[in-house]
Amino acid sequence: MQVELIAYSVPVEVEGGCNPMDIVERCASVCYDSEPDFDKFRISKGCAKTGHMSVFEHAYFTFRVAEISRACLAQLTRHRHFSFSVRSQRYCDESTIGCIIPPTVTEEQYDILMQSYSDSIDKYAFLTSSGMAKEDARMVLPNAAETELYMSMNARALIEASHLRLCNRAQEEIRTMFGVMKGEVKLVSPEIAEMMVPKCEVNPSY
């Protein structure tokens, strides 16, 4: 799995990057006719504590993600406030694409999964080589098929998605992915990364 933060919001007058919380703090300050606190982000943190999360919608993050399964992609796209650009199975040749196998499988299960995946790829390759359009041949491709994408989201959407996807009830692949995303965000905004926690940490009764 590859997860890389490639872009994030910065104020136009700042060169060389800054903490996206600067933007959140500036936007939060106008709500209360207050001076922004660019040191401790007092206003934005107060907003987070009271559930006033709309101010976090002004900061954006963009990630490049590779070597995840189409099953994981299906889970990601349920987060409606994320924006996606995904490798197209309609136009791209998938005959050499890799597969993602859950780490929890037994040796016997692994052999069955790999055989099934290999059979699907062989059928795909046969169909495309015989003249079938890739957009039609892709119907035989399994959920294990590897994919690559870029995705963007505002900080609020990222934080709220993390509440679900960092939970131990989430599938391991997407949980691992959000763990890496949190680490990437921490490098530019420790404050936002600190809010990326499982739902049970936000609401202990969950």
Side-chain angles (χ1 to χ4, degrees):
M1 179 183 296
Q2 300 178 37
V3 182
E4 177 187 7
L5 178 64
I6 66 162
Y8 58 94
S9 301
V10 296
V12 294
E13 70 271 19
V14 174
E15 295 183 2
C18 74
N19 190 333
M21 281 288 284
D22 288 1
I23 298 171
V24 178
E25 182 72 10
R26 183 173 309 204
C27 296
S29 70
V30 75
C31 300
Y32 305 102
D33 192 23
S34 303
E35 283 297 316
D37 177 1
F38 296 124
D39 181 31
K40 297 183 179 179
F41 306 112
R42 176 181 51 82
I43 305 171
S44 343
K45 289 181 178 179
C47 286
K49 287 180 180 178
T50 60
H52 183 188
M53 293 299 292
S54 62
V55 296
F56 286 84
E57 295 173 12
H58 298 285
Y60 272 79
F61 298 88
T62 298
F63 296 86
R64 174 185 173 269
V65 180
E67 299 175 10
I68 65 165
S69 68
R70 281 272 166 173
C72 187
L73 173 63
Q75 295 175 69
L76 281 174
T77 55
R78 293 177 185 146
H79 298 288
R80 311 276 175 92
H81 298 292
F82 286 20
S83 298
F84 300 95
S85 295
V86 183
R87 176 185 171 90
S88 172
Q89 289 184 333
R90 185 180 185 191
Y91 297 109
C92 300
D93 180 6
E94 302 289 82
S95 60
T96 60
I97 203 73
C99 68
I100 305 298
I101 300 296
T104 54
V105 301
T106 65
E107 184 176 345
E108 182 182 10
Q109 292 167 342
Y110 176 86
D111 291 340
I112 294 171
L113 286 170
M114 288 304 299
Q115 183 60 56
S116 176
Y117 185 79
S118 179
D119 289 346
S120 297
I121 291 297
D122 287 346
K123 290 180 174 68
Y124 173 86
F126 173 79
L127 292 171
T128 55
S129 65
S130 65
M132 181 179 282
K134 290 189 284 288
E135 64 181 24
D136 296 329
R138 63 178 167 168
M139 298 303 182
V140 302
L141 294 174
N143 274 330
E146 193 177 285
T147 193
E148 178 180 1
L149 64 138
Y150 287 86
M151 63 179 188
S152 300
M153 72 291 293
N154 64 53
R156 178 183 186 175
L158 177 60
I159 292 165
E160 292 178 350
S162 297
H163 295 341
L164 299 174
R165 299 307 182 180
L166 289 174
C167 177
N168 59 15
R169 299 179 184 180
Q171 191 169 5
E172 184 170 343
E173 184 181 12
I174 198 167
R175 191 167 71 243
T176 298
M177 176 183 163
F178 269 80
V180 179
M181 289 168 63
K182 178 176 180 176
E184 289 285 290
V185 171
K186 187 175 181 179
L187 297 176
V188 298
S189 183
E191 297 80 9
I192 291 176
E194 189 176 351
M195 299 179 202
M196 296 173 64
V197 294
K199 190 172 184 178
C200 61
E201 293 186 26
V202 181
N203 180 8
S205 63
Y206 174 66

